[in-house]
Amino acid sequence: MKNEPIKISEKFNVDTATLFRAWTDESALKAWWKPTGKTLSNVENDIKEGGKVAYHFESEAETTGKLTIEGTYQSVIPEQKLVYTWNWIVDDAALENGNYLLTVGFEAAGEGSEITITQENQSETEGIHPHEEGWKEALEALKTYLEKEALNGESAQH
């Protein structure tokens, strides 16, 4: 059971270029992505095959450790598909690290777009596991961010 891939999709009322930018741009990521309540403090994102991706998170409370998610892009088709390793490195001895392969697809869907995330476990041991619930929360936060950006864009045009 632990090695079953997670697959989740969500539709958005923005085009694929806007959705892709929200997924890859450092300032956008800092605005919406807060896994396990942590704050994204730094992003390294060399979006090309073989390029490095790393997200560094800080915790508000000193009671929990730092979190780094890092990997290497294996396939990059801008505004369509990203495939990269997704390795959780937790600064907390009680938690095992987790190694995954993440595939993120961006597709036009009607007047908007759709993101599909597939997360596959790459190790036999079950480490920290970003569960489906965590992805649902992240995509809800992304949707809220994009809706707020759309409203800000509309008010700026008036």
Side-chain angles (χ1 to χ4, degrees):
M1 185 68 168
K2 66 184 176 194
N3 288 321
E4 289 294 311
I6 291 173
K7 187 169 186 174
I8 188 165
S9 297
E10 184 68 49
K11 288 184 170 58
F12 297 88
N13 292 323
V14 296
D15 61 22
T16 53
T18 302
L19 183 57
F20 184 82
R21 191 168 42 255
W23 190 264
T24 56
D25 178 75
E26 181 171 4
S27 62
L29 284 162
K30 285 180 175 179
W32 68 265
W33 192 30
K34 299 177 182 352
T36 65
K38 295 188 185 310
T39 302
L40 183 57
S41 58
N42 185 40
V43 176
E44 299 169 57
N45 205 3
D46 188 12
I47 306 173
K48 65 180 185 190
E49 284 186 30
K52 181 179 179 180
V53 58
Y55 309 102
H56 303 277
F57 296 90
E58 304 287 332
S59 182
E60 305 283 319
E62 290 300 315
T63 54
T64 58
K66 294 180 182 175
L67 167 65
T68 300
I69 301 173
E70 64 181 22
T72 304
Y73 284 105
Q74 298 182 355
S75 176
V76 173
I77 305 169
E79 298 177 15
Q80 292 180 34
K81 186 176 178 182
L82 297 171
V83 179
Y84 47 105
T85 53
W86 180 254
N87 304 321
W88 284 59
I89 301 154
V90 182
D91 182 20
D92 183 338
L95 295 170
E96 286 289 318
N97 296 332
N99 299 310
Y100 304 94
L101 182 69
L102 202 65
T103 302
V104 184
F106 305 86
E107 289 182 43
E111 294 189 17
S113 58
E114 182 173 21
I115 194 168
T116 301
I117 300 167
T118 306
Q119 174 188 296
E120 301 169 78
N121 197 343
Q122 291 199 300
S123 62
E124 286 304 310
T125 60
E126 172 120 31
I128 184 170
H129 190 72
H131 293 291
E132 191 169 345
E133 202 55 44
W135 282 118
K136 287 178 183 173
E137 288 172 16
L139 293 180
E140 278 303 311
L142 175 57
K143 184 171 272 192
T144 300
Y145 165 79
L146 288 169
E147 287 168 358
K148 195 182 302 178
E149 287 297 298
L151 288 175
N152 289 343
E154 284 175 20
S155 62
Q157 292 172 3
H158 292 296

